[in-house]
Amino acid sequence: MRFPIAWASIPAALLLAGCIAGGTGTDTENGVTGKNEPVSVTGINARVVDGAGSPIRGVSLSLYPPAYRPDSGAALPNLFVDSARVAASDSSGYVALPLRAAGKFVVEGRLHGETVFYDTLAVPDIKQPSLFTFRTRAGKVYKGKVNLASGMRIDSGWVFIRGTARSVKVDAAGAFDLGTLPEDVGRMAVGMRFASSPTSVLQATVRSTLDSSVAIPGSPLQYTCNDVPKDSASKLAISAAENTDTASFSSKATDTAKVNSALKSCDTLSKGNLINVVIPASTILVGPSVADSLAVLVVNDAKEIQSATGTHVSEAMVIPYAACIPHAGQERTTYSVQLQPSGGDILVQDVAESCRAE
């Protein structure tokens, strides 16, 4: 039996799917045609139209759970009652959606291999005949480069859109390419999963020609700065991140607005460099009573500045590594990213807010 219904009779909850967690994050026009003409449907149905309201044939519709993460590698559940995972619109733009159960979903429409819309679908009752309208949107290319505020490099990473199947790897240079997507994808729940490490690791130690055991507290010491071998650098970076005592000591003993004499022994203070400063006990005014290491990360390069008095070099900005880089050395996920079309870069704030330069 077919159930004739008019657009005006569709429940208000179905006329506007609205925002759902992990979905488009935008209000949509699901179920709205602007016309009051009767349409006969059974079950859950949709119609795909263009911006002018004309039907579009051959648009494939895929449904996803709103919390689905395409970067997880988990199998995507089939939300339809049969084995088919995709439904396509006919010549009048109509397509049946044989849902297994009621709920909230993210809907993707694809035409000729490109995504022409993302939308939300809220179905409170699959036994209630319902008709929704989805509108295609103009697409733009979403690609760019990921930059970490810390200056560290990305060892591995993914940019993904939660509640969809769209994800892409970030390459060694931080570049990503999600392809052509509807413009309003910038308001969706876009996430990034990444692991990072310092661009290089150095260690500053007191020159062996000095007897640190008789050094006078507060007196200047001569340091030497050397590269740390790659295998040791990784261990040092992880150790610094996990050493909470060092984090506490760093916050007390380091003026993060200046570079001390130990750091100045390093020829290059580039953004993203991790420098482990080994400080003799005799020079420590606050903190441990034995020699300690202080791991700091350079977050702003030393730069030449032109002024009325001539050219001078501004000091690099450093921060305590363990205290200021949350989950340093570990993989982490952030949703504080926003996509921009046409080569827009992504800046990931991976430095604790309390440690950021004002």
Side-chain angles (χ1 to χ4, degrees):
M1 179 177 181
R2 301 182 69 85
F3 299 88
I5 61 173
W7 286 106
S9 68
I10 298 176
L14 300 181
L15 292 178
L16 187 64
C19 303
I20 60 175
T24 61
T26 61
D27 288 336
T28 64
E29 296 183 357
N30 290 351
V32 179
T33 64
K35 299 179 180 180
N36 189 24
E37 56 187 40
V39 178
S40 298
V41 298
T42 57
I44 308 301
N45 293 261
R47 193 182 190 215
V48 182
V49 299
D50 60 19
S54 301
I56 303 179
R57 179 179 183 176
V59 178
S60 299
L61 272 61
S62 301
L63 272 62
Y64 306 93
Y68 178 71
R69 282 182 52 171
D71 65 308
S72 67
L76 184 63
N78 185 8
L79 303 176
F80 293 148
V81 295
D82 54 23
S83 59
R85 293 177 178 269
V86 178
S89 60
D90 62 19
S91 58
S92 297
Y94 293 102
V95 53
L97 302 176
L99 296 174
R100 290 179 180 271
K104 293 182 178 180
F105 312 95
V106 178
V107 185
E108 178 186 25
R110 292 177 63 84
L111 180 64
H112 305 313
E114 290 190 358
T115 299
V116 290
F117 71 81
Y118 283 121
D119 217 323
T120 53
L121 176 66
V123 180
D125 185 359
I126 60 173
K127 295 181 180 180
Q128 172 67 42
S130 303
L131 181 61
F132 299 86
T133 295
F134 297 110
R135 298 182 184 275
T136 61
R137 295 166 173 81
K140 291 190 175 181
V141 175
Y142 284 85
K143 65 179 180 179
K145 185 177 180 180
V146 177
N147 297 303
L148 302 182
S150 65
M152 295 196 296
R153 64 167 176 254
I154 296 175
D155 296 322
S156 62
W158 290 82
V159 175
F160 61 91
I161 304 174
R162 191 172 63 182
T164 77
R166 188 66 63 107
S167 65
V168 64
K169 280 188 175 181
V170 178
D171 67 19
F176 70 95
D177 186 351
L178 283 166
T180 301
L181 296 171
E183 187 173 4
D184 57 359
V185 74
R187 295 191 294 274
M188 296 177 69
V190 179
M192 181 179 175
R193 191 186 83 197
F194 67 99
S196 61
S197 64
T199 55
S200 66
V201 180
L202 306 171
Q203 182 156 287
T205 57
V206 174
R207 292 184 184 275
S208 59
T209 54
L210 284 178
D211 183 358
S212 60
S213 64
V214 297
I216 301 174
S219 63
L221 297 175
Q222 294 183 2
Y223 282 81
T224 181
C225 187
N226 299 295
D227 291 330
V228 177
K230 187 174 182 180
D231 57 342
S232 300
S234 176
K235 295 177 182 178
L236 177 61
I238 295 175
S239 175
E242 295 176 343
N243 191 340
T244 54
D245 290 336
T246 298
S248 175
F249 172 56
S250 301
S251 63
K252 296 178 181 178
T254 304
D255 180 354
T256 59
K258 297 180 180 180
V259 179
N260 62 27
S261 59
L263 298 181
K264 288 180 179 178
S265 68
C266 300
D267 293 334
T268 302
L269 292 178
S270 299
K271 186 174 182 179
N273 283 0
L274 175 67
I275 302 175
N276 189 54
V277 181
V278 179
I279 303 178
S282 58
T283 68
I284 298 175
L285 301 180
V286 179
S289 59
V290 294
D292 206 334
S293 62
L294 182 72
V296 295
L297 183 72
V298 181
V299 292
N300 280 328
D301 299 343
K303 297 179 180 179
E304 288 190 356
I305 299 177
Q306 299 286 341
S307 66
T309 58
T311 301
H312 67 281
V313 177
S314 67
E315 294 177 323
M317 176 71 70
V318 300
I319 58 175
Y321 181 67
C324 295
I325 305 297
H327 310 293
Q330 303 175 23
E331 186 176 80
R332 56 181 295 200
T333 299
T334 177
Y335 287 96
S336 61
V337 299
Q338 188 172 7
L339 292 179
Q340 301 290 339
S342 303
D345 291 348
I346 293 176
L347 176 63
V348 177
Q349 290 290 354
D350 60 329
V351 178
E353 186 173 354
S354 59
C355 300
R356 297 175 193 170
E358 297 181 357

